[in-house]
């Protein structure tokens, strides 16, 4: 060992020791913070499924590859980070001797070939990612960036570190080539040989380059260890457990889509018949009241901004960005952690849990963080502004796009639950809707004895449960389908088509009440459970004696479809629920309905969030429309899983949109840009919102918004009267 090698070995050992010590300290801190969260025992079930899903999502990059070039580039960088860590390990042998290498595999030509290919592709990948970050930098002219609000220096730092480590990997090899100490042939490592051709014959070159590579790598580890909230770096470790512990690992898409996570206290679903606000947790009032998986979510955020780029609130000038919300919660959790770890925190009655002695040694900033309200305006020092909380439509675009399976919607609704149930703090106009649900059983406050008025004037009898001996489908009409004029046309069209196809169905009539979706999404779990338990009892009675496969429900409202199919199971209601477009697609394909007259003028289709993104029903409505128009559908740029919300979800249907551009107007402009004369929808909320948007643009005479069922009915029974368009209803 020469003098150069003595110096390089000492430097490598010293910086590695410091980096490892800081890294262990950082990991222990992160684990301690995450453990502050509430129990979530359901996260430990189905471990084999969880492991398989984690491997598929990480190794296969199934979420990232939806973004094409950036996904492929990220995959190469990820593989490079994992595999080329072996070359960082090899550098420790090279600082001791310039001819050193990994034991056993270090001399295999196949190892040299594999690392050469991965190194080259990793270089290409990181350069692509750097170019994308620069092209989308927040300071660039024109439009909002998905990186707006991200800590940009951290992204640049990580990318430059990766680039330099890859470069010095080739430099080390180049010096070995130049000194004729390289073990791999030219055909396996052409880039390394090309680098060696321009480097001098310097005996100590490989050792010097190796120690620089180690210093760069350990500097990265030191920096991220001193910044435990540096998600852009830590996600490469935290993504694995975050994906493993996702809520529903068997789901093909976002685990936080579809059903909401039940309201829990100490990890157990809350029973309102026995719950006590002084003993049980009602929603989330403090950051430590999120589950430990929630705190892991916040820690894992990569700040990539994919959620932000797809969020309808953010894209129309609202203060909500799913990314910034998560980052605010993350920063607050780690800033508050010293106070919590010292025994501090508020109990459910608002009293301080720690003694003065426990808090005496704490930094004043940690104490101040402990006093911050989780929800509050800037003047009150709140972590999350109320306008941020109430801007969410629960459309699920953030969950769909997140590459590390963060469950944004669950966290937002958990915070809403506390605000509604304990603080009674929510947009005032939504109070009317909640009172109507409690008193009338529907959000419009319509009399229950008018639920069957939509059947008047039909040329066939609509059977009711209890009046017929048997039926194949229970037709869940829904509140909109029973009371709202536009939606009633859809209800009549579906009933007519089912009758035409000879499908045996029945309705509950006055026995039906609201599914509870708007109550649950706004955060009023009490009203939701009241309505849902009533409906489950009614439905179980209607299906008495049938197994689940024969407890079939067809619903025209995706919100009812989602609630009945995905959430009633939490309350003992197990049903096979289909959307009307799925049933109609089956009836057309089986020849029970035959379109005879194509609908002309061009048709575009708007994917409802709770039908498409939340429940993956994309093909059925398109199949129905394709048959009805006898041609190709004109797709909007944002369609299928990236469809843009109409603005009505999350109980926003009953809240005024006072900030920024109206979401429905943004969507209508996109629909009108296709040139289609008909905008087909599969949801009564979407119908209302998009019709209002069309009328607001003064295009009511040129563009018609109608349900998929109505499009099909016009094709199957062209003599059917079209009817006049309903007047717009504010939503």
């Amino acid at each position: 060992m020469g003098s150069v090698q003595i110096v390089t070995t000492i430097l490598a050992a010293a910086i590695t020791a410091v980096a490892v010590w800081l890294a262990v300290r950082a990991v222990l801190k992160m684990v301690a913070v995450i453990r502050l969260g509430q129990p979530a025992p359901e996260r430990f079930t189905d471990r084999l499924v969880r492991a398989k899903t984690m491997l598929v999502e990480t190794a296969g990059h199934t979420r990232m590859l939806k973004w094409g070039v950036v996904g492929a580039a990220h995959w190469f960088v990820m593989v490079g980070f994992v595999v080329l860590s072996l070359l960082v390990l090899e550098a420790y042998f090279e600082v001791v001797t310039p001819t050193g290498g990994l034991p056993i595999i270090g001399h295999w030509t196949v190892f040299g070939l594999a690392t050469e290919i991965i190194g080259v592709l990793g270089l290409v990948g990181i350069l692509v990612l750097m170019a994308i970050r620069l092209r989308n930098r927040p300071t660039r002219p024109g439009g909002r960036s998905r990186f707006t609000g991200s800590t940009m220096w951290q992204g640049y730092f990580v990318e430059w570190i990766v680039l330099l480590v890859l470069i010095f990997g080739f430099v080390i090899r180049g010096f070995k080539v130049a000194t004729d100490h390289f073990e791999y042939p030219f055909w396996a490592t052409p880039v390394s040989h090309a680098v060696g051709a321009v480097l001098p014959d310097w005996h100590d070159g490989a050792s010097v380059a190796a120690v620089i590579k180690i210093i760069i790598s350990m500097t990265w580890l030191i920096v991220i260890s001193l910044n435990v909230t540096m998600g852009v770096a830590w996600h490469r470790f935290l993504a694995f457990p975050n994906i493993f512990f996702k809520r529903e690992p068997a789901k093909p898409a976002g685990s936080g889509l579809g059903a909401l996570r039940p309201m829990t206290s100490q990890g157990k679903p809350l029973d309102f018949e026995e719950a006590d606000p002084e003993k049980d947790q009602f929603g989330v009032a403090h950051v430590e009241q999120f589950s430990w998986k929630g705190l892991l979510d916040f820690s894992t955020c990569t700040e990539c901004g994919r959620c932000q780029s797809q969020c309808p609130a953010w894209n129309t000038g609202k203060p909500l960005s799913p990314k910034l919300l998560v980052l605010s919660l993350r920063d607050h959790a780690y800033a508050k952690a010293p106070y919590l770890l010292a025994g501090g925190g508020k109990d459910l009655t608002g009293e301080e849990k720690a003694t003065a002695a426990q808090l005496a040694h704490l930094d004043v900033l940690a104490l101040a963080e402990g006093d911050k309200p989780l929800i509050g305006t800037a003047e009150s020092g709140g972590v999350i502004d109320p306008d941020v909380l109430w801007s969410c439509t629960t459309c699920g675009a953030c969950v769909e796009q997140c590459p590390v399976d963060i469950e944004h919607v669950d966290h937002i609704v958990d915070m809403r639950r506390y605000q509604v149930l304990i603080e009674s703090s929510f947009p005032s106009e939504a109070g009317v809707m909640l009172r109507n649900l409690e008193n009338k059983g529907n959000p419009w406050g319509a009399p229950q004895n008018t639920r069957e008025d939509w059947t008047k004037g039909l040329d066939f009898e609509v059977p009711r449960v209890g009046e017929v001996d048997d039926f194949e489908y229970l037709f869940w009409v829904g509140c909109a389908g029973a009371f709202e004029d536009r939606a009633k046309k859809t209800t009549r069209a579906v009933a007519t088509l089912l009758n035409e196809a000879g499908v045996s169905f029945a309705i509950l009539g006055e026995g039906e009440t609201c599914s509870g979706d708007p109550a649950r999404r706004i955060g009023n779990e009490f009203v939701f459970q009241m309505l849902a338990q009533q409906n489950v009892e009614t439905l179980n009675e209607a299906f008495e004696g049938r197994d689940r496969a024969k407890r079939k429900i067809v619903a025209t409202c995706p919100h009812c479809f989602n609630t009945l199919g995905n959430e009633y199971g939490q309350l003992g209601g197990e049903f096979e629920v289909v959307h009307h477009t799925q049933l109609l697609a089956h009836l057309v394909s089986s020849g029970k309905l035959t379109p005879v007259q194509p609908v002309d003028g061009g048709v575009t289709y708007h994917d409802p969030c709770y039908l498409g993104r939340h429940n993956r029903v994309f093909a059925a409505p398109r199949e129905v429309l394709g048959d009805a128009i006898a041609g190709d559908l004109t797709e909007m740029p944002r369609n299928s899983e990236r469809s843009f919300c109409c603005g009505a979800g999350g109980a926003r249907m009953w809240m005024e949109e006072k900030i920024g551009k109206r979401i429905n107007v943004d969507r209508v402009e996109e629909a009108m840009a296709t040139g289609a004369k008909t905008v087909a929808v599969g949801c009564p909320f979407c119908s209302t919102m998009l019709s209002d948007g069309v009328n607001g643009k003064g295009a009511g005479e040129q563009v018609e918004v109608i349900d998929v069922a109505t499009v099909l009915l016009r094709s199957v029974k062209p003599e059917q009267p079209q009817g006049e368009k309903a007047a717009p209803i504010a939503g």
Side-chain angles (χ1 to χ4, degrees):
M1 180 185 291
S3 57
V4 171
Q5 282 70 43
I6 293 173
V7 173
T8 56
T9 301
I10 292 172
L11 286 174
I15 194 169
T16 301
V18 172
V20 170
W21 177 73
L22 289 173
V24 170
R25 189 182 69 167
V27 169
L28 291 175
K29 180 178 181 180
M30 295 176 80
V31 170
V33 171
I34 291 167
R35 284 170 61 88
L36 289 169
Q38 300 303 302
E42 73 280 3
R43 304 286 181 170
F44 294 92
T45 60
D46 303 320
R47 297 189 181 188
L48 288 177
V49 175
R50 292 180 180 279
K52 178 183 176 182
T53 300
M54 179 191 69
L55 291 173
V56 169
E57 282 198 24
T58 52
H61 251 43
T62 53
R63 308 293 292 277
M64 286 290 296
L65 287 174
K66 293 179 181 179
W67 288 72
V69 172
V70 67
H74 192 276
W75 187 84
F76 289 129
V77 172
M78 180 202 72
V79 172
F81 176 82
V82 174
V83 176
L84 300 184
S85 294
L86 291 172
L87 297 187
V88 175
L89 176 61
E90 186 176 52
Y92 285 94
F93 293 92
E94 292 161 339
V95 296
V96 177
T97 171
T99 61
L102 282 177
I104 305 174
I105 64 172
H107 299 287
W108 295 354
T109 298
V110 67
F111 176 73
L113 173 63
T115 50
E116 184 89 353
I117 293 172
I118 293 170
V120 171
L121 294 176
L123 274 172
V124 173
I126 196 63
L127 289 171
V128 168
L129 294 182
M130 293 173 81
I132 290 172
R133 187 177 295 272
L134 286 170
R135 190 184 66 196
N136 291 282
R137 65 193 184 281
T139 55
R140 85 197 197 288
R144 289 186 171 190
S145 163
R146 66 183 174 93
F147 292 117
T148 298
S150 298
T151 313
M152 294 301 288
W153 76 262
Q154 294 180 351
Y156 293 137
F157 171 78
V158 169
E159 288 168 347
W160 273 102
I161 288 290
V162 172
L163 179 64
L164 290 173
V165 166
L166 289 168
I167 289 173
F168 272 90
F170 284 109
V171 171
I172 294 169
R173 287 185 163 190
F175 274 120
K176 286 185 173 182
V177 170
T179 56
D180 202 24
H181 291 128
F182 198 48
E183 53 268 82
Y184 308 123
F186 178 86
W187 67 265
T189 53
V191 176
S192 298
H193 278 82
V195 173
V198 298
L199 290 177
D201 181 2
W202 181 23
H203 176 73
D204 298 322
S207 294
V208 172
V211 77
I212 293 173
K213 181 177 181 178
I214 290 171
I215 289 171
I216 292 170
S217 301
M218 293 305 109
T219 298
W220 173 81
L221 189 55
I222 289 169
V223 170
I224 72 167
S225 298
L226 294 174
N227 293 272
V228 290
T229 58
M230 194 171 175
V232 70
W234 281 106
H235 83 274
R236 63 189 59 198
F237 307 113
L238 297 178
F240 297 97
N242 208 56
I243 295 170
F244 181 89
F245 289 115
K246 61 158 60 176
R247 176 148 59 88
E248 296 181 67
K251 270 196 170 184
S255 157
L257 295 173
L260 280 173
R261 183 172 178 264
M263 189 167 163
T264 60
S265 180
Q266 291 300 311
K268 298 177 182 178
L270 203 63
D271 182 351
F272 277 96
E273 292 184 2
E274 301 177 0
D276 181 351
E278 294 189 0
K279 297 178 181 178
D280 295 300
Q281 179 181 314
F282 279 52
V284 169
H286 306 285
V287 72
E288 64 272 20
Q289 291 180 341
F290 286 106
S291 72
W292 63 261
K293 174 56 168 63
L295 295 177
L296 178 59
D297 270 359
F298 308 152
S299 303
T300 308
C301 179
T302 71
E303 303 190 25
C304 67
R306 286 174 179 80
C307 58
Q308 181 172 287
S309 71
Q310 301 296 299
C311 177
W314 177 260
N315 278 286
T316 54
K318 315 292 189 292
L320 168 64
S321 156
K323 177 187 73 177
L324 298 182
L325 178 138
V326 166
L327 298 187
S328 295
L329 293 171
R330 178 198 68 189
D331 293 344
H332 173 58
Y334 281 88
K336 189 178 181 180
Y339 161 72
L340 296 171
L341 292 170
K346 304 292 191 295
D347 63 21
L348 294 173
T349 64
E351 295 296 319
E352 175 59 57
K353 293 188 288 188
T355 64
Q358 287 177 297
L359 303 180
H361 69 285
L362 284 182
D363 182 84
V364 66
L365 294 177
L367 288 171
E369 202 72 30
D371 288 333
K372 281 187 175 181
L374 189 65
I375 306 298
T377 61
E379 291 75 16
S380 65
V383 179
I384 304 297
D385 191 277
D387 284 335
V388 169
L389 187 67
W390 297 110
S391 291
C392 179
T393 67
T394 69
C395 71
C398 49
V399 179
E400 167 74 36
Q401 293 299 325
C402 182
V404 293
D405 279 304
I406 292 172
E407 296 160 10
H408 312 73
V409 174
D410 281 342
H411 305 320
I412 288 171
V413 173
D414 271 341
M415 290 186 284
R416 285 183 171 186
R417 285 166 169 165
Y418 180 82
Q419 294 299 305
V420 172
L421 294 171
I422 303 300
E423 297 291 336
S424 296
S425 176
F426 51 89
S428 57
E429 61 268 26
V432 177
M433 177 268 291
L434 290 173
R435 286 192 295 274
N436 286 336
L437 287 177
E438 288 191 73
N439 300 326
K440 298 290 188 178
N442 68 85
W444 281 276
Q448 186 71 355
N449 60 10
T450 63
R451 266 197 181 266
E452 299 179 37
D453 284 0
W454 64 270
T455 63
K456 295 176 181 178
L458 292 174
D459 56 6
F460 58 92
E461 190 72 22
V462 176
R464 287 144 189 85
V465 172
E467 297 179 2
V468 290
D469 294 332
D470 194 21
F471 56 89
E472 184 179 3
Y473 286 94
L474 189 150
F475 182 12
W476 183 271
V477 176
C479 299
F483 302 121
E484 201 271 323
D485 287 341
R486 264 182 296 253
K488 282 197 282 188
K489 291 183 179 181
T490 300
T491 307
R492 290 166 63 88
V494 171
T496 302
L497 289 166
L498 294 182
N499 181 70
E500 181 77 11
V503 175
S504 171
F505 71 97
I507 63 171
L508 289 172
E510 294 182 27
E512 181 182 304
T513 190
C514 180
S515 68
D517 165 84
R520 189 168 225 197
R521 265 68 195 171
I522 203 173
N524 198 325
E525 187 75 4
F526 176 78
V527 171
F528 164 73
Q529 290 201 19
M530 177 186 73
L531 294 167
Q533 286 170 350
Q534 178 181 335
N535 283 326
V536 166
E537 184 177 335
T538 301
L539 290 168
N540 283 339
E541 184 179 335
F543 289 121
E544 189 173 3
R546 302 191 191 189
D547 57 32
R548 176 170 177 170
K550 294 183 179 179
R551 295 157 66 95
K552 298 179 182 179
I553 298 174
V554 58
T556 57
C557 175
H559 297 264
C560 297
F561 165 69
N562 177 70
T563 303
L564 271 62
N566 295 328
E567 297 184 338
Y568 275 18
Q570 299 169 4
L571 300 169
E574 297 291 337
F575 313 109
E576 288 294 326
V577 187
V578 297
H579 189 251
H580 71 284
T581 59
Q582 293 176 296
L583 181 54
L584 294 178
H586 168 71
L587 295 174
V588 172
S589 66
S590 61
K592 293 182 178 179
L593 289 174
T594 305
V596 295
Q597 180 173 309
V599 176
D600 56 14
V603 178
T604 190
Y605 174 64
H606 163 78
D607 288 274
C609 300
Y610 274 86
L611 180 64
R613 190 157 39 238
H614 278 279
N615 285 285
R616 323 309 295 173
V617 179
F618 301 120
R622 287 174 168 80
E623 290 170 4
V624 173
L625 291 171
D627 289 322
I629 65 178
D632 293 330
L633 194 67
T634 305
E635 293 281 11
M636 286 183 261
R638 294 177 291 192
N639 64 76
S640 302
E641 67 269 11
R642 291 195 188 175
S643 178
F644 197 70
C645 182
C646 74
R652 289 294 320 176
M653 179 83 172
W654 291 275
M655 291 183 255
E656 288 299 322
E657 197 169 345
K658 302 173 182 176
I659 305 173
K661 183 180 182 180
R662 293 182 68 87
I663 294 173
N664 61 333
V665 171
D666 191 295
R667 185 57 164 169
V668 160
E669 289 174 352
E670 184 174 4
M672 291 174 62
T674 66
K677 300 303 180 185
T678 300
V679 179
V681 297
C683 171
F685 290 2
C686 297
S687 177
T688 295
M689 299 299 285
L690 298 187
S691 294
D692 288 352
V694 167
N695 291 328
K697 299 290 291 184
E701 297 300 319
Q702 294 80 42
V703 178
E704 185 180 18
V705 179
I706 54 174
D707 191 88
V708 171
T710 302
V711 176
L712 180 61
L713 182 61
R714 290 178 180 178
S715 180
V716 170
K717 301 183 73 172
E719 75 281 0
Q720 195 75 10
Q722 304 301 305
E724 296 181 5
K725 297 179 185 178
I729 295 177

